Amino acid sequence: MAKKSVATLQTNSKRLTKAIKMVRSPKSGAYTFVEAVMAPELVNDWVNKK
């Protein structure tokens, strides 16, 4: 599974990070990309979660 943090976004006083990870479908075996915008502290937990 590949993972990459691509952007740091700033809105008002909050600092946000957009994270993208590749997830393999159990049915077809194809890979899909899942994106989320969150606080930088939460990125590692989100990436490691299955």
Side-chain angles (χ1 to χ4, degrees), residues 4-46:
K4 186 175 183 181
S5 179
V6 285
T8 301
L9 310 171
Q10 288 188 357
T11 58
N12 298 336
S13 63
K14 294 182 182 178
R15 194 167 160 214
L16 301 173
T17 300
K18 180 178 183 182
I20 301 174
K21 68 178 174 178
M22 246 171 50
V23 178
R24 191 169 192 165
S25 171
K27 291 183 181 179
S28 66
Y31 286 97
T32 59
F33 293 96
V34 179
E35 299 180 10
V37 177
M38 64 194 77
E41 303 84 34
L42 303 175
V43 172
N44 286 335
D45 294 334
W46 181 76

